[in-house]
Amino acid sequence: MRPERVILNAKSPLINSPAWMALLDHFERVNQIHMVDLFEQDSDRFSRYSIQFNEMLLDYSKNRVTDVTMQLLFDLAKQANIEKFRDKMFAGEKINNTEGRAVLHTALRNRSDKPVFVDDENVMPLVENELAKMREFSEKVRKGEWIGYAGLPITNIVNIGIGGSDLGPNMVCRALEPYSHKSLRVHFVSNVDASHIEQMLIHLRPETTLFIIASKTFTTQETLTNAETAKKWFLEGAGRATEDDIAKHFVAVSTNEEKVKAFGIDPKNMFRFWDWVGGRYSLWSAVGLSSAIYVGMDNFIELLEGAHEMDKHFQEAPLEENMPVILAMLGIWYGNFFNAESSAVLPYDHNLRMLPAYLEQADMESNGKSVDREGRQATYSTGKIIWGAEGINGQHAFYQLLHQGTRLIPTDFIASVQSHGNHHNHSQILASNFLAQTEALMKGRDMEETRQQLVEANIELHKAENRLPHMIFGGNQPSNSIVIKKLTPRSLGSLLAMYEHKIFVQGMVWNLNSYDQWGVELGKKLAHNILDELESGDDLFDHDSSTKGLLDWFRTNS
Ligand code: F6P
């Protein structure tokens, strides 16, 4: 029997709203406009379509928009009451309506002296307390004062977690590598495939290893399985550690004290956060402990400061000058009117190489929904497919499709001007490629010019004519350029907060609850059932013939 997909027999009204209809009408008139013409008509386009925020620049001039488009997009944002919902979020109202929770990752980086209330309790003392605990612990580890059971300082930190308990701190550690402690190494284990943890542990010694078990719920199967394996390795390894030594080598980051205790970690060694912090928004909390140890608490605080500055920008700047709002509304323009299905994030900074993976979760787990906040079917596209990789590598791999494929793929190009590397010639090459790609995507390659180039290259006429259609392309591929002066803890904080708020704005326009993730539950439940079947060898549940056939294949080949 096919499942009933939508409980309320009603459709979300967004697409009949005045602002939406106006955009639709406008789209019919402007969708053929070429950006080359827009630039030719307006020599000021760059300055009118770019915004500076601290040491960060957003250039959105290479988009298929006019002043009217932008105005209509801002009208849509206003119609969606973005400002009202934004204020509700910052004020601790329970905007996560399906779970009855506040959404307050912004409180974790609230560097003002303003209180933030959840259920009449000011949560700022809790936040400050946890930050102080993180500082004390991270400094001990960094100074070699946190001594393991064999009398040796810690040299390796292993964060065991998955999803938001892995991607955020992992990405931050990679991004801030130049700020890292030079005698500490940090590792991240997420996959329950034993190869992941085994291939890492092989290089480590129990005496000098610290495990951080990070899990909001402390019920996540992959994380707990890896944590148990780590504990076994610690106790049964060559180092002769005992149960009493666990306290020196295992700490937990969670909201669930009971489960942490049940695992065998003393609550003294537990770093807390709260249910008003979503997993994919938790890197600012104690989930960031691995990064705080790796780069130092002062740098971690700088990260929070940078995010807080972006929070203020998001709260205070008019919609028309608001970076997250502009990025969000451009995304809606392409996703909902041009029907672009995906959007690429292309960092031109090696240290931002994990940003696309991090944003995949942040964006797609937040806005991958098809029912609106009132439970009605969303009859419009919502979250786009977010993907990407380091831009310079992508140029030699998948950019062909961006330039000449049949799809419209809006892109975010991200670069830092000042590299942490010491070879200036490398930075110049990187920057030139960054700049060249967005220009090429926008301009395309003109037929006459290309023909001329072939003639000048002495290519025989008939060969040149055959090659010509394969070489030319239309351009008009939109991109945003996000340029930061230097990738520092502060600028990273601002960059990440900008994306978080972009996701928020899009979720609100689509009238989604961006802060739950019910869609991931069914797979977890079915996996538990199937695990019983794999372990017992019995057929305990009904399956379709494909799943049953695959299950049998696993059994016979294991
Ligand atoms: O299954 C999805 C998810 O709940 C994510 O939202 C979350 O970041 C991840 O799993 C890990 O959850 P936890 O931190 O509770 O282990």
Side-chain angles (χ1 to χ4, degrees):
M1 204 175 65
R2 289 176 60 184
E4 201 63 48
R5 295 205 46 194
V6 175
I7 295 163
L8 297 183
N9 189 16
K11 303 226 158 90
S12 196
L14 176 65
I15 55 172
N16 296 322
S17 67
W20 193 275
M21 304 281 266
L23 270 164
L24 209 52
D25 187 47
H26 173 70
F27 172 77
E28 294 304 331
R29 273 178 282 129
V30 299
N31 67 62
Q32 297 303 323
I33 285 182
H34 201 289
M35 284 186 278
V36 166
D37 297 328
L38 295 174
F39 275 96
E40 272 173 16
Q41 286 155 16
D42 178 6
S43 56
D44 255 3
R45 188 167 169 88
F46 166 75
S47 42
R48 294 197 312 106
Y49 287 85
S50 59
I51 300 182
Q52 214 175 320
F53 163 81
N54 291 347
E55 295 189 335
M56 187 156 127
L57 172 78
L58 164 64
D59 167 23
Y60 62 101
S61 58
K62 291 192 188 90
N63 276 292
R64 293 165 72 166
V65 293
T66 64
D67 289 357
V68 177
T69 320
M70 292 312 297
Q71 198 43 59
L72 291 173
L73 287 169
F74 294 129
D75 290 348
L76 179 62
K78 282 181 199 140
Q79 178 192 275
N81 282 319
I82 295 301
E83 287 142 305
K84 190 177 108 200
F85 276 108
R86 174 197 64 199
D87 295 345
K88 282 184 181 210
M89 173 172 75
F90 278 90
E93 285 193 36
K94 296 190 173 165
I95 63 164
N96 174 352
N97 60 331
T98 60
E99 296 178 312
R101 291 176 182 167
V103 174
L104 272 180
H105 42 280
T106 51
L108 301 168
R109 59 208 192 203
N110 171 21
R111 310 302 299 161
S112 75
D113 49 16
K114 286 195 199 127
V116 179
F117 291 96
V118 176
D119 291 332
D120 298 330
E121 182 190 10
N122 177 11
V123 297
M124 287 318 299
L126 301 176
V127 171
E128 292 302 336
N129 192 41
E130 227 43 47
L131 285 172
K133 201 172 159 189
M134 283 170 74
R135 178 177 287 281
E136 193 191 338
F137 182 70
S138 60
E139 283 179 359
K140 275 194 184 151
V141 176
R142 287 171 64 82
K143 287 180 187 157
E145 291 168 2
W146 183 272
I147 302 295
Y149 73 96
L152 295 171
I154 297 299
T155 55
N156 283 274
I157 296 134
V158 180
N159 185 90
I160 297 181
I162 198 164
S165 300
D166 167 74
L167 287 164
N170 196 348
M171 178 269 300
V172 169
C173 286
R174 302 289 74 104
L176 300 181
E177 197 86 50
Y179 299 84
S180 65
H181 191 295
K182 296 305 166 240
S183 0
L184 288 175
R185 297 206 304 141
V186 66
H187 316 267
F188 289 83
V189 176
S190 53
N191 198 329
V192 75
D193 181 343
S195 303
H196 196 175
I197 192 158
E198 284 173 14
Q199 287 166 9
M200 193 208 48
L201 290 178
I202 223 160
H203 302 289
L204 305 181
R205 293 167 59 198
E207 298 92 312
T208 51
T209 302
L210 174 77
F211 291 97
I212 299 174
I213 317 300
S215 173
K216 178 175 170 181
T217 54
F218 231 76
T219 56
T220 304
Q221 188 188 37
E222 296 87 337
T223 299
L224 292 187
T225 306
N226 277 324
E228 286 293 351
T229 301
K231 191 158 78 172
K232 200 157 177 283
W233 171 84
F234 176 74
L235 293 173
E236 296 174 6
R240 291 199 217 96
T242 67
E243 293 276 344
D244 288 347
D245 299 324
I246 286 179
K248 299 191 186 91
H249 293 266
F250 284 78
V251 299
V253 180
S254 187
T255 60
N256 191 340
E257 181 169 331
E258 214 178 292
K259 295 278 182 199
V260 168
K261 271 203 266 183
F263 176 81
I265 293 180
D266 189 331
K268 275 207 310 284
N269 289 341
M270 173 178 169
F271 295 81
R272 288 171 176 75
F273 63 115
W274 307 273
D275 73 357
W276 39 264
V277 180
R280 55 193 170 274
Y281 297 90
S282 64
L283 71 89
W284 320 99
S285 73
V287 167
L289 184 63
S290 50
S291 38
I293 299 173
Y294 196 48
V295 302
M297 198 60 194
D298 288 346
N299 282 320
F300 188 77
I301 295 290
E302 278 285 297
L303 179 84
L304 303 186
E305 293 277 0
H308 178 61
E309 281 169 7
M310 180 53 77
D311 291 345
K312 280 193 295 182
H313 166 81
F314 180 50
Q315 284 180 287
E316 291 163 11
L319 299 187
E320 293 78 1
E321 291 159 31
N322 201 306
M323 281 191 182
V325 175
I326 291 169
L327 288 174
M329 300 317 294
L330 287 169
I332 284 175
W333 178 232
Y334 296 118
N336 293 99
F337 296 90
F338 285 86
N339 293 326
E341 290 193 335
S342 81
S343 175
V345 180
L346 306 166
Y348 279 70
D349 182 319
H350 179 62
N351 291 336
L352 285 177
R353 62 195 175 280
M354 276 203 62
L355 184 67
Y358 166 77
L359 289 177
E360 278 172 13
Q361 184 197 15
D363 200 312
M364 295 200 276
E365 203 174 65
S366 296
N367 286 338
K369 319 270 162 79
S370 51
V371 164
D372 76 4
R373 293 175 67 82
E374 283 76 37
R376 297 170 298 204
Q377 177 71 53
T379 47
Y380 39 88
S381 306
T382 60
K384 260 192 290 182
I385 301 158
I386 304 294
W387 61 282
E390 281 185 82
I392 199 82
N393 296 343
Q395 284 177 213
H396 299 273
F398 56 79
Y399 274 34
Q400 167 64 31
L401 184 142
L402 298 182
H403 288 291
Q404 283 193 313
T406 53
R407 293 164 205 280
L408 179 79
I409 304 181
T411 46
D412 282 0
F413 278 71
I414 305 167
S416 29
V417 179
Q418 298 175 12
S419 165
H420 283 280
N422 293 319
H423 292 77
H424 189 58
N425 58 329
H426 288 233
S427 308
Q428 300 292 74
I429 294 171
L430 192 59
S432 63
N433 276 280
F434 172 86
L435 296 167
Q437 287 298 325
T438 60
E439 190 172 31
L441 284 168
M442 189 267 283
K443 284 189 173 163
R445 197 166 187 182
D446 172 73
M447 171 123 65
E448 265 325 302
E449 224 177 282
T450 312
R451 180 176 282 128
Q452 193 53 37
Q453 285 162 6
L454 288 170
V455 170
E456 281 163 19
N458 290 326
I459 307 283
E460 286 170 54
L461 192 63
H462 76 280
K463 280 194 186 153
E465 287 305 322
N466 282 346
R467 203 177 290 173
L468 204 52
H470 301 280
M471 293 181 72
I472 58 171
F473 51 100
N476 219 14
Q477 291 285 357
S479 65
N480 296 308
S481 293
I482 298 156
V483 188
I484 47 186
K485 190 168 166 191
K486 187 167 190 169
L487 185 60
T488 62
R490 192 173 276 259
S491 60
L492 178 68
S494 298
L495 181 74
L496 300 177
M498 178 186 76
Y499 274 110
E500 286 182 346
H501 294 319
K502 173 201 159 179
I503 293 164
F504 167 87
V505 172
Q506 292 191 332
M508 283 303 158
V509 171
W510 291 321
N511 191 26
L512 305 174
N513 177 5
S514 305
Y515 301 100
D516 61 12
Q517 58 285 318
W518 298 105
V520 301
E521 295 304 323
L522 174 64
K524 290 185 195 175
K525 186 172 174 296
L526 294 185
H528 276 289
N529 294 350
I530 293 173
L531 182 60
D532 285 347
E533 294 182 297
L534 281 170
E535 286 176 345
S536 67
D538 299 330
D539 290 338
L540 304 171
F541 302 94
D542 271 347
H543 297 291
D544 58 89
S545 66
S546 161
T547 310
K548 174 79 174 71
L550 289 165
L551 175 58
D552 288 342
W553 180 262
F554 267 84
R555 281 173 173 153
T556 42
N557 288 290
S558 66

